[in-house]
Amino acid sequence: MENEKVYQMSFAKIYPLLVNKAVRKGRTQEDVDQVIGWLTGYSRETIAELAESAITYREFFEQAPQMNENRKLIKGKICRISVELIEEPLMQEIRYLDKLVDELAKGKAMEKILREQ
């Protein structure tokens, strides 16, 4: 039930929260767009359009052009839960994005965030 509330939230409401979290720690909106694009396959232009639309968070992830196969390399805890252990597939995708933005806010290098070897 709680997950469904998150899924029905609008991306337009969540996106500024993600950006603000990163910006408060010295990162940029472009950095946030880069990690969203890496994870989902959306272009910066499409992210901007979706941030102005009525798309839900569920639809944002379900309609993603191409989820990055390296997202499974994202490890660690978000809200005291290991992202790799989340069983609900959609919630896991959402938490992957949360983890990426957390890493941005903590000042981690972009190459490491994007799991580039």
Side-chain angles (χ1 to χ4, degrees):
M1 185 63 149
E2 191 66 31
N3 287 354
E4 199 56 43
K5 284 174 81 172
V6 173
Y7 302 157
Q8 293 307 315
M9 293 177 74
S10 72
F11 179 68
K13 183 175 183 178
I14 294 169
Y15 177 71
L17 301 174
L18 298 172
V19 170
N20 288 338
K21 181 175 189 171
V23 168
R24 280 193 315 266
K25 298 292 186 163
R27 298 309 279 254
T28 66
Q29 179 176 345
E30 290 76 22
D31 291 336
V32 175
D33 290 348
Q34 186 176 355
V35 298
I36 292 172
W38 176 87
L39 180 64
T40 63
Y42 285 117
S43 68
R44 283 196 169 122
E45 296 77 19
T46 303
I47 294 167
E49 291 169 13
L50 294 173
E52 299 293 323
S53 75
I55 193 169
T56 66
Y57 218 25
R58 173 191 296 278
E59 293 165 336
F60 176 80
F61 283 97
E62 288 178 347
Q63 296 173 21
Q66 183 170 351
M67 296 301 291
N68 192 310
E69 60 189 46
N70 286 340
R71 71 191 183 281
K72 301 295 182 186
L73 299 174
I74 300 171
K75 308 281 187 221
K77 294 188 176 193
I78 191 83
C79 300
R80 296 185 303 254
I81 298 171
S82 295
V83 293
E84 61 271 24
L85 300 179
I86 296 172
E87 293 181 9
E88 169 65 36
L90 180 56
M91 184 54 70
Q92 188 175 48
E93 303 295 359
I94 289 169
R95 293 305 186 188
Y96 283 149
L97 179 55
D98 290 342
K99 184 67 179 164
L100 292 174
V101 173
D102 273 3
E103 290 176 354
L104 265 179
K106 289 178 181 174
K108 199 169 186 182
M110 191 62 80
E111 309 80 60
K112 295 208 182 273
I113 295 170
L114 302 183
R115 280 43 185 187
E116 295 173 355
Q117 307 299 346

